[in-house]
Each structure stands twice: as structure tokens, then as C-alpha cells.
Amino acid sequence: MKIFVYLSLFYIVCFVSCKTEKDAYNPYKKFPPEKLKRDYQLFRNVLEDCHPSLYWYISKDSLDYYFDYAYKQIKDSMTETAFKTLLSYVITKIDCGHTVVKSSKKFSKYLDTAQLRTFPLSLKFWEDTMVVTANLNRKDSVLKRGVVLKSINGMDQKQLKDTFFNYIATDGYSICGKYQSLSTGFAFANLYKNVFGLPNSFDVQYIDSTGEEKKVNLPIYDFRSDTMNRMNFSVEHLTKHSKKNAPQFSFFLNTNLQLDTVNGNAFMTLNTFDRNNHLKKFFHKSFAALDENHIQNLIIDVRSNGGGDAGISTLLTRYIIDKKFKLADSLYALNRKSKYDKYIEKSFLYYVMMLFVTKKHHDGKYHFGYFERHYFSPKTNHHFDGKVYILIGGNSFSATTLFVGAVKGQKNVTLVGEETGGGYYGNTAWIIPDVTLPNTKLRIRLPKFRLVVDKSREKDGRGVMPDAVLYYLLWMASGCTIFPRNSTA
């Protein structure tokens, strides 16, 4: 009996080991051109069949040119990353910030634990300047935060910017959104690696503290070797810093409210409109607190808010807006079902839902009539009537743009900062399933509904423009009270 048990365990271990080895993801695997071409043709067909705004900002002839151009580049085998980069180049031409190419699930899982080599600098881009904001090489005493770079491997700021903008999707022609995307985290490093590949070092030209241009050879950053160098502290050191010792308040929560009850000011941070962040409760408690403390000036920071649930952003709008408003003049999809549904995530569920909420109009489109007809009213309980200053920027997107656009021009509201990355006239979103390409398993985010917020707005492809342009607004009142989303006001 024991021998049988031991043999069974042996076979189980062997089976699991073999399966793990078989399922291990190889990021350097190359797909033959025949499979890549089949995936590419499906990629194009699905967009042409289902995307309602494919030619909103580009003519069909022009987009066909890019579709054909990219197809001709598939001459040899490619890795998943290389193919993803090629698709990203094409999809960016649609000028829809919700339509992007995502890695396969296996590659995304691989990245969670992979320790890859990378370009070590995070950079902030402006129209004519690029500046170091972070350096993974902590011992580098030259390329520190704030240092202005002139070129990287012979390419100046304009050449780098113009190249990488071809791979960054935003709504319409919101260049500010592209600048912010390129400047967020290590997006530049990832784009550099995907577009140019990674040499062992980089020739970097920079301006030193005296204003003199100098050059330095910057080595590539290797996470594996740096991790070994950092492992000089004990487990006891890590466990000493438990959650019990965490600060009482954090300024990096997705949402929080600070009150200056002496001067009648408040500062609200909103980094998301995601429905999982208990925002309905947060808004109710926050605006009750503003009312009870007789706050006269409210600053709302949505510069890092990429959007989320339009119902949540609409709720915030109702606490501030002074008139009835609609979310959409028109909201429609091209179809309820497609011959490519087997590649589209949850296509049957979306089909059933659209049977109930959409109706085919004379234009042949399937309209979401409720939102085209329904007017939302301002909140009557704890409505805020004081001065409102909303901080916006290139990362303000999607549902955030709906909120900001709705209150723009209101007498007591001032928009401060930079143009939003989300479109002012409208966007393409609402239902956004993934399309999985069968060979490479790359995923395409496919927004199904075109939204025109207000047809009287100019369709110029721009985001919501600020009333006052400020890059930084430092506000901190002494003795302020902070109400994180889960605290009691």
C-alpha cells in the first residue's frame, strides 16, 4: 500500500513538473509570419466591423494606408512584443484613447515576476524639454532628478517625442495626453525598449549645474543584479515595520478630503471613478462635511484620474452643477452581434444586455436611448454652491472628462491646469470587451459605443481646456482635517 502511495505521489510530482515546464511562458518565442498575418487580418476585420468611431478623426483612405503598411511589415517571425508594437503603431492612428493593444495574459503574468533589463531613467517631457524625474541607479550622482537631457544615443527630445507619440493612444488630438503618458512612470523606458531594443549602454548628453553641455555613458539597468545588492537586510527588519506602525493618514489614497475649517477651504483628491472605491459613500460624507463646516472654497484634484464608472462621475457632477444636464446627445453602437463574436470577450452577455437597452434607429445604429433622453438634476441635499477649482491635466480621461466638461463655464467653477487627455466633444467607450487574437493571444480593447456629449460643442479633437494654466498649485492649510474614503466625517 505504501509503495502504491509513493508511486502515486511520484507520478503526480512528475506530471505537475512537466506541466509547469510545458506551460512556462517564453517571452522570446517567435511566431511564424503566417500566424501573425492571420492575427493581423482578424485585428483589422474586428475593428472595421465593430468600432463605431474608426473614422472619427482619420479618413478611411488614410487608415487603410496604415493598415496596409503594417501588414506589409510582417515579412518574418516576430515575438509577441514586436507584434504588439506593430499593432500599437496602427491603432494609435484611430485617435481613440480607449482602443489599445494589451499583452497576452501569459505575458502579463510573466511581467509580474520577471526581472528584466531596462533603460534606467524616468523622464518628464514638455514641448521642447526632457528632464530626469527618477533614476533606478541610486548610486548615479550625475543624472539626478531635475537634470535636463539634450539627447539619448544621438536622438534629441523632438526626435524621441515624435517617434514615441506614434505608439500612444489618446482621444482626438490631445497632445497634452500624449506628453503625460510619455512622462508617467517608466513609460518612456518601456517604449524605448519596444521600439529601439536595448543596447548595453546609452550615450546621454545633458546640461550640468553650470549650464555646460556634457556627455555620459549610462549603463543599462539590470533588476536582478541590483536586487542581489539590496538583499543586505534581515527578515526581522521587514517584520518590525508592521501595518500597526503605518501613518494615520495617507496622501496617496485614491480619494481623500482635507478641510481647513478656519479659512473655509477644502481639498479633495480623486484619482479614480472606479465603482470599487466606495465613492458614493465618500461623496455623501464629504459634501455633508463641507456643508456642516461652512466651506466656501473647494479644490478638486483629478489630474491623475483616468476615469471609471460614468455613473460615479455623474454623481459628483450633481453635487456641483447648477442646472439639469444630459450625459449624451447620442450614444450608439454599430451592431449587437458580430461574426467575430467568438473572439470577443463576453459577447453573448453583451448581446443580451443590448437587446434590452438599445434600439435600432433609422440611421442603422443601435442607440442607448435612456441616456440620450434622460436629464440629471443637481443634488438638493448638501449641494455645494461655493467656489470650485478643479485641477486637470493630460491624465484626466474618460469619465473624468465627462465630469469636467459638464461643469465647464459654470460661474462658480474654474478649471486649472492643462488640457485633459479625454475628448471634450465625446469619446468611444461604455462597453469595452477584449478581443483575443487566436495565435499570439494579444488582446485588443474594443469600445462598442460612440458618445457625443453635446453636439453644439466644437468637434476639434481637443480635450477640455483649462480656464487658468498652472502647472503646480500648492495648497496646505494648517490644522486641516483629512477624511479618507473609509473614515467617519
Side-chain angles (χ1 to χ4, degrees):
M1 184 65 180
K2 288 185 177 179
I3 293 176
F4 175 76
V5 173
Y6 291 148
L7 285 174
S8 299
L9 290 173
F10 173 76
Y11 282 121
I12 291 172
V13 170
C14 288
F15 174 77
V16 172
S17 299
C18 292
K19 183 171 176 29
T20 302
E21 183 177 353
K22 181 181 178 180
D23 291 347
Y25 180 80
N26 176 13
Y28 306 107
K29 173 187 174 181
K30 289 191 174 182
F31 296 88
E34 295 78 18
K35 289 188 174 182
L36 295 173
K37 287 181 178 180
R38 288 199 293 271
D39 272 9
Y40 185 89
Q41 195 59 55
L42 176 63
F43 157 77
R44 178 174 181 172
N45 290 344
V46 170
L47 288 174
E48 291 179 332
D49 187 59
C50 300
H51 198 295
S53 304
L54 208 58
Y55 312 113
W56 211 359
Y57 295 107
I58 186 172
S59 69
K60 185 179 186 305
D61 288 346
S62 296
L63 187 57
D64 285 347
Y65 166 82
Y66 287 112
F67 273 135
D68 294 340
Y69 167 81
Y71 184 80
K72 292 175 184 176
Q73 306 311 305
I74 308 174
K75 301 173 183 177
D76 203 350
S77 301
M78 288 185 184
T79 63
E80 177 183 328
T81 299
F83 190 52
K84 176 175 179 282
T85 302
L86 180 66
L87 297 188
S88 296
Y89 175 83
V90 178
I91 218 166
T92 300
K93 305 303 180 287
I94 302 171
D95 289 318
C96 172
H98 289 94
T99 310
V100 295
V101 186
K102 297 163 59 179
S103 300
S104 67
K105 290 182 179 179
K106 285 189 175 181
F107 187 74
S108 297
K109 187 175 181 180
Y110 164 77
L111 287 179
D112 288 341
T113 55
Q115 296 176 323
L116 306 176
R117 303 196 310 163
T118 186
F119 179 79
L121 303 180
S122 172
L123 304 177
K124 170 66 178 176
F125 275 75
W126 288 276
E127 186 176 353
D128 57 358
T129 309
M130 56 181 173
V131 176
V132 177
T133 55
N135 190 339
L136 291 173
N137 291 315
R138 296 174 299 154
K139 296 180 181 179
D140 190 338
S141 60
V142 177
L143 299 178
K144 299 182 294 185
R145 180 180 175 88
V147 171
V148 176
L149 302 189
K150 298 298 292 182
S151 67
I152 299 171
N153 281 352
M155 298 185 71
D156 62 21
Q157 185 269 357
K158 186 179 187 306
Q159 291 172 304
L160 290 167
K161 173 198 68 177
D162 290 346
T163 299
F164 294 142
F165 275 12
N166 282 310
Y167 301 89
I168 299 174
T170 56
D171 282 352
Y173 314 128
S174 175
I175 297 299
C176 186
K178 290 182 182 284
Y179 278 115
Q180 288 290 353
S181 295
L182 191 58
S183 303
T184 298
F186 283 85
F188 174 86
N190 291 330
L191 280 168
Y192 195 101
K193 176 174 65 175
N194 294 341
V195 176
F196 295 128
L198 281 179
N200 291 322
S201 62
F202 308 85
D203 291 326
V204 177
Q205 193 170 358
Y206 68 99
I207 299 177
D208 70 6
S209 57
T210 66
E212 183 180 351
E213 289 192 14
K214 291 186 177 180
K215 184 179 289 187
V216 65
N217 186 261
L218 178 68
I220 200 169
Y221 181 81
D222 191 330
F223 279 96
R224 288 169 294 186
S225 60
D226 192 56
T227 300
M228 295 302 295
N229 293 333
R230 294 187 188 192
M231 293 182 66
N232 58 359
F233 46 84
S234 64
V235 175
E236 289 76 17
H237 173 80
L238 290 173
T239 55
K240 280 194 301 183
H241 300 280
S242 65
K243 292 182 180 179
K244 293 181 180 179
N245 296 324
Q248 183 179 4
F249 298 116
S250 171
F251 289 91
F252 300 97
L253 294 170
N254 280 330
T255 56
N256 68 60
L257 176 70
Q258 305 167 48
L259 296 183
D260 170 12
T261 56
V262 175
N263 297 302
N265 301 322
F267 191 107
M268 180 183 289
T269 300
L270 283 173
N271 292 332
T272 183
F273 283 117
D274 190 280
R275 68 177 64 185
N276 296 318
N277 279 260
H278 310 289
L279 288 172
K280 290 183 180 180
K281 182 178 179 181
F282 171 74
F283 291 151
H284 175 76
K285 292 163 59 178
S286 295
F287 283 94
L290 299 179
D291 200 357
E292 292 165 6
N293 289 278
H294 308 291
I295 299 300
Q296 298 300 311
N297 300 293
L298 171 62
I299 299 173
I300 304 176
D301 188 352
V302 292
R303 289 172 297 175
S304 298
N305 194 322
D309 190 325
I312 301 297
S313 68
T314 299
L315 177 60
L316 175 61
T317 306
R318 294 179 63 202
Y319 277 106
I320 294 170
I321 202 164
D322 60 6
K323 60 183 180 298
K324 291 183 178 182
F325 67 101
K326 284 199 303 181
L327 275 183
D329 272 341
S330 65
L331 180 63
Y332 63 78
L334 291 183
N335 48 45
R336 288 176 178 153
K337 59 188 305 184
S338 166
K339 58 184 175 181
Y340 305 105
D341 274 350
K342 68 178 181 179
Y343 304 105
I344 301 175
E345 173 191 37
K346 300 177 182 177
S347 57
F348 179 73
L349 291 176
Y350 290 134
Y351 166 71
V352 172
M353 185 205 74
M354 289 178 68
L355 280 176
F356 289 97
V357 302
T358 66
K359 182 179 180 180
K360 190 173 183 179
H361 283 201
H362 63 277
D363 60 1
K365 311 297 194 305
Y366 291 85
H367 286 253
F368 203 143
Y370 170 80
F371 287 111
E372 293 181 341
R373 297 186 301 268
H374 183 74
Y375 281 85
F376 294 89
S377 299
K379 278 279 187 179
T380 55
N381 194 24
H382 303 307
H383 186 273
F384 188 78
D385 299 314
K387 294 287 186 180
V388 181
Y389 303 89
I390 304 175
L391 309 186
I392 60 174
N395 287 331
S396 304
F397 188 71
S398 193
T400 306
T401 310
L402 298 181
F403 158 62
V404 174
V407 297
K408 178 178 173 62
Q410 188 168 303
K411 187 175 181 180
N412 64 323
V413 174
T414 303
L415 306 183
V416 183
E418 299 174 297
E419 177 186 3
T420 63
Y424 182 46
Y425 182 76
N427 60 40
T428 311
W430 290 81
I431 294 176
I432 316 179
D434 283 345
V435 178
T436 301
L437 304 182
N439 295 304
T440 59
K441 305 301 180 184
L442 285 172
R443 294 168 291 166
I444 315 300
R445 293 191 80 216
L446 178 66
K448 298 280 286 181
F449 280 87
R450 177 195 283 201
L451 164 71
V452 173
V453 179
D454 184 346
K455 61 185 178 183
S456 67
R457 295 177 182 176
E458 184 179 2
K459 183 181 174 291
D460 59 359
R462 302 302 299 270
V464 183
M465 304 303 290
D467 302 310
V469 179
L470 292 175
Y471 291 101
Y472 298 99
L473 180 61
L474 300 178
W475 179 87
M476 177 59 67
S478 59
C480 65
T481 306
I482 305 172
F483 293 98
R485 64 180 184 274
N486 293 325
S487 70
T488 44

